[in-house]
Amino acid sequence: MTSRDNSAGAELSATGPLSGLRVLELGGIGPGPFAAMLLADLGADVVRIDRKGQPTLFPGTPAQNLLHRGKRSVDLDLKSASGLTAAHGLVAAADAIIEGFRPGVAERLGLGPADCLELNPALVYGRMTGWGQDGPLAHTAGHDLNYIAVTGALHAIGTAGGPPQIPVNLLGDFGGGGLYLVVGLLAALHESARTGRGQVVDAAIVDGVSHLLAGTHARMASGTWADERGVNLFDGGAPFYSVYDTADGTYMAVGAVEPQFYAAFVTGLGLDVDLDRQHDRSTWPELRARIAEIFRSRTRAEWIEIFAGTDACVSPVHSLREAATDPQIAARGSVTTPGGVLQPGRAPRFSAHAPAGVGVAPDPGMHTEEVLREWIGIREEATRMPS
């Protein structure tokens, strides 16, 4: 990014657009930490409450847990009187809270919405769960796969005649979960800034994933989407929106939907077809077989060269490690390797802010004294008094 990107002509800021925002994260896993990471990437001062020595589901070292990058960590025993008092002090100084416990757990700790909003009436309290705060499954366990299963999203992913395919945990935890929590927090913070009144944001993965399916529901309403896998335009049913294997056992992705892109695609293949019959579904099985045969005749590298610089919408399918070497990804810095650790860069980007490197993930409790001093003016020792 250069100064030319800044339409206002002002000097670029080294901080993010959320600089000055204080976010308190009650230790959790998955979508809550991801939401807090995104806020930290955007410049917020995110403080996570941890317990040193507490078992964690993450298999690596604290520094490898990228969902905690850019945050500060404090060591508080929330079951002790002194630890809870310190936590209440952080609540009073925060602009927003993120918690991802089952319904009722935060209340039992003395850190539920009622407790926190009494301390800080302008506070935005973000609750991240899979099932939501109410409903028959609210108090039961679940994971990404369960949430996308009941929404219908999992049913829609996979090949015709085959079982549903698991889209890692991107769709539920991070797409329908963490990102919707961030949207809700920012909306509520905007309202709090205008009115001085805080509120609770109930972000449920089942709600977010259902919301993400708006476009699919729209096509069903129009009669152009069948409620089954692998037979529709955007689920691999169309031969011009699919994935094909190559001569060297790798894959190419094709997304040639619009007529002009489809024309460029078949030209690159050297395929003679009636362009006007692109959406004639009766031709799709034979067309797919012909396209598959052609793709298997060359390696992925050869196909990359053939389609380079065209509008055919054909791309190589990279592994996670290969993605870092893709020319577009590398040029944008979408994936970066600080300290040799492969991870995403910051997103999105802002014209008034200079590009910045990503933060590091802290050891649990390493910022306890400095955060307590900065946020509430007390020393760490005060939190370790006998309860």
Side-chain angles (χ1 to χ4, degrees):
M1 183 184 297
T2 69
S3 59
R4 290 192 300 274
D5 298 313
N6 185 5
S7 58
E11 183 178 350
L12 296 182
S13 169
T15 60
L18 295 185
S19 177
L21 183 74
R22 286 179 168 179
V23 179
L24 182 64
E25 179 191 351
L26 305 184
I29 61 172
F34 173 73
M37 181 206 81
L38 177 52
L39 295 173
D41 281 353
L42 296 177
D45 180 9
V46 179
V47 169
R48 176 181 166 91
I49 295 180
D50 283 308
R51 286 294 294 142
K52 287 182 181 178
Q54 186 172 4
T56 174
L57 294 177
F58 183 70
T61 66
Q64 293 171 329
N65 193 342
L66 302 179
L67 296 185
H68 294 167
R69 74 183 191 189
K71 306 175 185 179
R72 295 192 288 176
S73 173
V74 298
D75 176 22
L76 295 179
D77 180 2
L78 297 179
K79 295 182 180 180
S80 73
S82 56
L84 183 59
T85 296
H88 282 169
L90 295 174
V91 168
D95 298 298
I97 285 182
I98 291 175
E99 70 94 356
F101 305 132
R102 290 199 204 188
V105 172
E107 284 83 351
R108 290 195 292 274
L109 288 171
L111 289 168
D115 305 300
C116 293
L117 285 167
E118 183 177 356
L119 292 166
N120 185 349
L123 183 73
V124 172
Y125 193 107
R127 315 200 81 168
M128 184 74 258
T129 61
W131 303 119
Q133 297 298 313
D134 51 30
L137 295 179
H139 292 271
T140 63
H143 279 293
D144 175 288
L145 190 61
N146 307 112
Y147 311 135
I148 68 173
V150 300
T151 61
L154 182 62
H155 174 269
I157 301 171
T159 58
Q165 297 296 305
I166 301 172
V168 200
N169 62 334
L170 300 176
L171 179 55
D173 280 349
F174 303 123
L179 288 179
Y180 273 87
L181 176 58
V182 170
V183 170
L185 288 171
L186 295 179
L189 284 164
H190 175 70
E191 185 172 35
S192 177
R194 289 188 293 108
T195 66
R197 295 191 303 273
Q199 62 184 297
V200 177
V201 177
D202 176 4
I205 294 175
V206 290
D207 296 344
V209 173
S210 297
H211 199 259
L212 287 172
L213 288 168
T216 306
H217 282 290
R219 287 187 172 270
M220 281 207 303
S222 72
T224 58
W225 188 278
D227 195 11
E228 53 185 294
R229 284 183 296 283
V231 298
N232 298 291
L233 179 60
F234 295 122
D235 63 0
F240 48 84
Y241 198 91
S242 193
V243 176
Y244 294 93
D245 59 311
T246 65
D248 56 349
T250 55
Y251 295 89
M252 297 294 290
V254 178
V257 178
E258 291 81 356
Q260 68 273 28
F261 304 150
Y262 179 62
F265 168 56
V266 298
T267 297
L269 291 178
L271 185 61
D272 182 19
V273 297
D274 183 352
L275 296 178
D276 292 334
R277 299 188 68 186
Q278 177 184 358
H279 292 279
D280 181 350
R281 298 190 180 214
S282 69
T283 68
W284 284 5
E286 180 185 354
L287 181 59
R288 177 184 296 280
R290 293 173 64 188
I291 293 173
E293 183 180 6
I294 294 172
F295 265 114
R296 292 192 191 104
S297 69
R298 297 178 186 269
T299 65
R300 183 177 68 174
E302 290 175 310
W303 286 119
I304 291 173
E305 184 176 355
I306 287 171
F307 286 108
T310 73
D311 279 342
C313 301
V314 178
S315 306
V317 177
H318 288 316
S319 72
L320 292 173
R321 295 192 183 278
E322 287 175 330
T325 66
D326 180 88
Q328 181 65 25
I329 299 297
R332 294 277 298 176
S334 304
V335 176
T336 183
T337 55
V341 179
L342 185 69
Q343 58 187 286
R346 297 191 183 205
R349 305 176 189 202
F350 302 88
S351 64
H353 296 274
V358 296
V360 297
D363 288 332
M366 69 181 295
H367 302 104
T368 303
E369 183 162 352
E370 71 177 54
V371 168
L372 295 180
R373 184 175 61 250
E374 289 176 20
W375 279 35
I376 55 180
I378 65 174
R379 296 183 61 82
E380 180 181 359
E381 288 77 7
T383 73
R384 303 192 182 283
M385 296 169 59
S387 59

